[in-house]
Amino acid sequence: MTTGQPSTSVKSVCEPLIDGFGRVHRSLRISVTDRCNIRCQYCMPAFGAEFLPNERLLSFDQFANFVRVLAPLGINDLRITGGEPLMRPNLEQLIKMLSTIEGIDDLAITTNGMFLTEQIQRLVDAGLQRINISLDTLRESTFRTLARRNGLHDVLSGIAATKQFPHMTVRLNALVLRDLNMDEIIPLAEFARAQSLPLRFIEFMPLDAERAWNKSRMVSGTEVRQMLASKFGPLNPVPRKDSSQPSIDYAFADGQGIVGFIDSVTQPFCTSCDRLRLTAEGKMRNCLFGQEEWDMAELLKQEHLDEQRLVERVRACVARKKAAHGMEAPGFQPPQRAMFQIGG
Ligand code: SAM
Ligand code: SF4
């Protein structure tokens, strides 16, 4: 990387990433692959998914260089995602590189959990701190319908494997589709409570590859809360530690466990959003629903990284961030990319 920039550029390199609405950006989601071993209905097409050729993916060095440039600008929270991030070979090498970058104090991964059993030891050794595992059902037949593949057993084994590492923060994420797994809300909560794992419900967003989203298929966080409260008693709000945290958390009435809600559709958290995203091929996005992307790959792939140009491009991306995702606005169009191509 280049060093020794003139003082003005050093200043521009160090100022925080603040958008036009005063939001300070601290969180970066990095997609390391668009490939996945399953085909969740709410994310990927059943057939014919087109994936990036390997040579278009950013290398681990390029991802790490990007983070090294952004960390002094205040990015301190990284989440590795995809596609299925554990399909990227030797992912622990990237984790190791990122975990040693000064300023990074939170390093997490979001995974479907199916490869965790074989990889968790390497990931922990490399410095991974937190794992979010997607779990939408406890029924194999529903898993097969929802993910269009078998695999629940592997997900559950992956969750069990995390128990060997009690210092890791593990959380379960569930997405409910009204026609498919609505009756799993209570069993999922019971499972999470029995496992002493926090569970979060995420509302279905219009980011599915088949463009089949409709509001009636989405189950709102409010509905889920009502169902849980009628089974387990009133949910008690847990004070937020971090205002940029999208999840609103509650404790169960008996004090056994936490349940969180990311109500991105019905109660958007855009006013406190501090996230930026980098796709697997190096496009930067300022919003899941944004229509614009900024090409970081062009700069990251140069032999000598022009740090100042990279920062300018990052700042341009941040500056163009809109006040809100606008899902409820007339004429709203979902982005060209589906969730697996952005990185959830
Ligand atoms: N493959 C990994 C996994 O499933 O956890 C990581 C990538 S996945 C795109 C990340 C998260 O996005 C998952 O928790 C998944 O449930 C969520 N997701 C995918 N499609 C979504 C959609 N249309 N609306 C809301 N969340 C979605
Ligand atoms: Fe794969 Fe995750 Fe998308 Fe499901 S949500 S298809 S596991 S990338």
Side-chain angles (χ1 to χ4, degrees):
M1 291 213 305
T2 52
T3 52
Q5 305 278 358
S7 58
T8 47
S9 58
V10 169
K11 185 164 174 276
S12 109
V13 163
C14 292
E15 277 170 7
L17 296 168
I18 306 180
D19 69 14
F21 302 90
R23 293 170 296 198
V24 182
H25 290 76
R26 297 200 175 85
S27 169
L28 176 68
R29 301 209 149 199
I30 298 175
S31 172
V32 290
T33 180
D34 56 351
R35 287 170 198 258
C36 190
N37 54 322
I38 58 177
R39 297 286 182 274
C40 300
Q41 287 191 23
Y42 47 69
C43 178
M44 288 187 81
F47 305 104
E50 286 183 14
F51 299 116
L52 292 163
N54 284 340
E55 60 274 16
R56 284 200 54 206
L57 301 179
L58 289 189
S59 69
F60 290 169
D61 280 333
Q62 288 157 357
F63 283 127
N65 281 343
F66 188 66
V67 172
R68 270 186 212 108
V69 172
L70 266 65
L73 311 184
I75 294 294
N76 59 11
D77 170 5
L78 300 180
R79 178 169 297 279
I80 307 302
T81 182
E84 174 45 44
L86 300 189
M87 288 190 74
R88 181 86 188 237
N90 308 313
L91 185 71
E92 69 280 1
Q93 290 173 7
L94 177 65
I95 299 292
K96 188 159 196 174
M97 292 160 91
L98 298 176
S99 69
T100 52
I101 294 177
E102 200 181 323
I104 298 305
D105 40 51
D106 196 355
L107 180 52
I109 196 169
T110 300
T111 171
N112 65 29
M114 293 173 69
F115 301 116
L116 257 186
T117 308
E118 61 207 64
Q119 295 191 29
I120 188 162
Q121 180 75 60
R122 297 198 295 271
L123 295 167
V124 171
D125 290 347
L128 187 67
Q129 296 165 347
R130 294 200 293 126
I131 309 182
N132 281 4
I133 304 173
S134 300
L135 179 72
D136 306 323
T137 173
L138 295 165
R139 267 196 317 252
E140 184 65 55
S141 58
T142 306
F143 188 95
R144 206 175 307 124
T145 308
L146 207 155
R148 296 146 163 160
R149 298 285 188 276
N150 291 325
L152 178 62
H153 175 78
D154 293 332
V155 181
L156 296 177
S157 302
I159 293 169
T162 65
K163 299 286 177 195
Q164 301 161 58
F165 305 94
H167 63 285
M168 290 287 290
T169 304
V170 180
R171 198 159 49 195
L172 303 176
N173 282 344
L175 191 154
V176 182
L177 298 176
R178 189 171 301 282
D179 52 311
L180 257 179
N181 56 339
M182 182 104 179
D183 58 342
E184 302 244 14
I185 291 171
I186 303 296
L188 283 168
E190 282 170 336
F191 175 81
R193 277 156 55 87
Q195 298 283 324
S196 302
L197 293 174
L199 171 66
R200 285 197 320 196
F201 288 94
I202 305 173
E203 286 181 348
F204 176 33
M205 297 182 277
L207 291 168
D208 54 315
E210 288 168 344
R211 305 274 170 132
W213 182 89
N214 65 64
K215 214 168 188 171
S216 61
R217 222 180 163 205
M218 179 199 80
V219 180
S220 71
T222 306
E223 277 180 271
V224 178
R225 280 190 286 281
Q226 282 163 357
M227 286 180 71
L228 293 175
S230 52
K231 169 73 183 173
F232 298 104
L235 299 175
N236 301 313
V238 175
R240 277 175 131 183
K241 283 194 203 121
D242 172 2
S243 61
S244 63
Q245 154 78 7
S247 170
I248 309 276
D249 295 338
Y250 295 81
F252 286 100
D254 62 2
Q256 197 191 324
I258 301 282
V259 61
F261 297 88
I262 303 190
D263 298 348
S264 325
V265 178
T266 60
Q267 298 184 48
F269 46 88
C270 304
T271 52
S272 57
C273 178
D274 72 343
R275 290 184 183 175
L276 298 168
R277 295 185 141 79
L278 187 66
T279 67
E281 82 272 45
K283 307 280 187 201
M284 191 168 176
R285 301 175 62 87
N286 58 26
C287 177
L288 265 179
F289 292 95
Q291 301 286 356
E292 287 181 286
E293 296 181 339
W294 284 260
D295 186 15
M296 300 295 150
E298 184 215 341
L299 299 175
L300 290 167
K301 288 182 176 177
Q302 283 171 7
E303 202 179 329
H304 298 288
L305 179 61
D306 185 338
E307 196 171 319
Q308 197 176 348
R309 274 187 75 201
L310 191 73
V311 170
E312 280 164 12
R313 210 167 279 186
V314 169
R315 289 198 189 285
C317 167
V318 173
R320 294 275 295 177
K321 183 153 168 161
K322 294 189 174 155
H325 58 45
M327 223 185 283
E328 298 295 330
F332 167 78
Q333 288 292 328
Q336 298 290 316
R337 290 175 186 258
M339 192 61 129
F340 73 102
Q341 297 161 319
I342 300 175

